[in-house]
Amino acid sequence: MLAYITRRLLLIVPTLLGIMIVNFAVIQFAPGGPVEQLIAQITGTAVDATARVSGGGGETARTQGMTGAGGSDSKYRGAQGLDPEFIKEIEKLYGFDKPPVERFLLMMGNYLRFDFGDSYFRDRKVVDLVLEKMPVSISIGLWTTLIIYLVSIPLGIRKAVQDGSNFDLWTSAAILIGYAIPGFLFAVLLIVLFAGGSFLSWFPLRGLVSDDWSDLSLLGKIADYFWHLALPLFAMVLSGFAGLTMLTKNSFLEEINKQYVVTARAKGLTEGRVLYGHVFRNAMLIVIAGFPGAFIGILFTGSLLIEIIFSLDGIGLLGFEAAINRDYPVIFGTLYFFSMMGLIMGIVGDLMYVLVDPRIDFEKRDV
């Protein structure tokens, strides 16, 4: 097992490098980079007025004597009328005075030292931004994953035991309807109904806690925390039940029909002993082992629209704003960190297989 883990760890390096190369190459062709963002702010044509330039108003003030210095052609949209020397200063400010290959190598060298740089438009370190937003995303991802697993596994087991019954049919219809409803659309409906839309105002519309959270008692803090999470979690878990429930049901059905189950029943074991003493370990292998990957998926991708809709200041919202503002240090820094975490979680998933069923031996398999 140690040799297998070592090989998987070594494979992280080329895999992560390939991810970064592909994304870096793609982003070079995306219009509206940080240089154009700053030019748009200088010329008053910026769409996102909330984007801030590192250094505050100093950069803009410095441009007052550098605009209108001729109409030279520029590769940047909206740069007509700006002094070419000033354009070069902006390029140097963001590191675009170097060729793409050199910029990529410098970036990866810094990332190997876990130096993710500073945000272009927030005047803060990328690491500090991520650590600040992480609690919100972890709260959503962790509770969503736990609720989905705690509901889907017992439901899937019961559906397998009562396969073909009325219970199996109506629960299948219910979870498939829930799966068909987009999470973001259901989130909007919840806001309209329960968060001060057109009907009730039972739940808050934004934030993870109230403004007076620090003044509340311990029980008050817990209640306030879940009060704010209620609608986002409901919107997240609705579509998450279907896949895991059906996976659990099918895994149990496959195991129930095997010979060792027939033998256990013939020995006079109770149905509960057969299901949870023999079938459960084999049927739950793929379900339990997939927990790390499911958590990572919900944590860093599934909650993006939910964070935006409910104004939850987490990783998803940070990534969305970074993409809109072309904040490359935030984009590539978070991509590097979370890609590496996802690859590591893949190894953790394999270890979970071994913990659930020690008979599995990855040494006999090719990586």
Side-chain angles (χ1 to χ4, degrees):
M1 189 65 186
L2 181 61
Y4 171 79
I5 295 175
T6 302
R7 292 197 300 269
R8 288 292 302 272
L9 289 173
L10 292 176
L11 277 174
I12 288 178
V13 177
T15 305
L16 186 59
L17 183 62
I19 292 173
M20 297 303 297
I21 289 175
V22 170
N23 283 274
F24 187 86
V26 169
I27 209 70
Q28 303 309 307
F29 299 98
V35 175
E36 291 184 356
Q37 293 279 339
L38 181 54
I39 290 174
Q41 292 182 41
I42 293 171
T43 58
T45 60
V47 175
D48 185 5
T50 63
R52 298 183 299 275
V53 183
S54 178
E59 288 295 336
T60 304
R62 191 160 57 111
T63 65
Q64 299 301 318
M66 308 187 75
T67 57
S72 60
D73 294 333
S74 174
K75 61 181 179 180
Y76 300 110
R77 187 172 50 188
Q80 289 76 14
L82 294 179
D83 189 340
E85 292 299 322
F86 178 60
I87 299 297
K88 291 181 180 179
E89 284 191 28
I90 298 178
E91 290 179 333
K92 186 176 181 179
L93 176 67
Y94 293 128
F96 281 77
D97 56 330
K98 302 179 179 66
V101 175
E102 184 178 352
R103 283 191 283 119
F104 178 79
L105 293 176
L106 287 173
M107 180 183 72
M108 294 304 298
N110 291 331
Y111 287 0
L112 290 176
R113 300 191 300 270
F114 289 93
D115 178 9
F116 298 104
D118 299 330
S119 168
Y120 284 157
F121 303 108
R122 292 175 180 260
D123 197 19
R124 295 184 60 189
K125 291 185 178 298
V126 174
V127 173
D128 293 339
L129 285 172
V130 171
L131 292 178
E132 179 185 314
K133 314 298 182 184
M134 188 72 76
V136 174
S137 295
I138 289 180
S139 294
I140 298 174
L142 182 60
W143 289 114
T144 299
T145 307
L146 287 177
I147 292 173
I148 289 175
Y149 267 73
L150 290 175
V151 173
S152 296
I153 291 178
L155 180 60
I157 293 174
R158 185 174 178 185
K159 286 172 63 64
V161 173
Q162 302 183 20
D163 183 41
S165 66
N166 289 332
F167 173 81
D168 181 38
L169 294 177
W170 73 258
T171 52
S172 294
I175 63 176
L176 288 177
I177 291 174
Y179 181 75
I181 301 176
F184 72 90
L185 184 61
F186 189 63
V188 173
L189 177 63
L190 290 176
I191 290 176
V192 172
L193 293 178
F194 302 110
S198 302
F199 297 92
L200 304 173
S201 298
W202 289 352
F203 297 94
L205 184 58
R206 63 182 68 249
L208 192 61
V209 294
S210 300
D211 294 336
D212 61 344
W213 186 80
S214 58
D215 299 327
L216 300 176
S217 63
L218 177 60
L219 292 178
K221 290 180 178 179
I222 295 174
D224 183 76
Y225 170 73
F226 284 106
W227 182 47
H228 282 75
L229 274 180
L231 295 187
L233 288 182
F234 196 16
M236 287 283 291
V237 302
L238 179 68
S239 60
F241 288 134
L244 186 58
T245 300
M246 300 309 295
L247 178 62
T248 303
K249 175 188 174 181
N250 293 335
S251 297
F252 260 77
L253 284 177
E254 182 180 355
E255 293 296 324
I256 286 174
N257 295 323
K258 290 186 176 179
Q259 185 61 43
Y260 75 90
V261 177
V262 177
T263 303
R265 286 171 173 166
K267 289 181 178 180
L269 296 179
T270 63
E271 190 67 17
R273 180 71 181 275
V274 171
L275 286 177
Y276 297 101
H278 293 74
V279 177
F280 185 84
R281 186 180 67 176
N282 296 324
M284 286 295 97
L285 177 61
I286 189 172
V287 176
I288 297 176
F291 181 86
F295 173 65
I296 290 297
I298 293 174
L299 179 61
F300 301 125
T301 59
S303 63
L304 170 59
L305 291 177
I306 299 300
E307 289 183 12
I308 295 173
I309 292 172
F310 288 97
S311 299
L312 297 172
D313 198 9
I315 298 295
L317 186 59
L318 175 66
F320 174 77
E321 292 177 348
I324 293 297
N325 294 326
R326 301 298 192 271
D327 198 343
Y328 290 166
V330 175
I331 294 175
F332 289 119
T334 53
L335 173 67
Y336 176 87
F337 178 75
F338 296 131
S339 296
M340 183 170 60
M341 183 176 292
L343 293 171
I344 293 174
M345 285 297 104
I347 301 176
V348 174
D350 289 345
L351 294 177
M352 292 287 290
Y353 277 104
V354 178
L355 290 176
V356 175
D357 191 348
R359 295 173 298 176
I360 295 178
D361 186 5
F362 286 104
E363 294 292 349
K364 297 180 180 178
R365 299 172 59 242
D366 293 331
V367 178

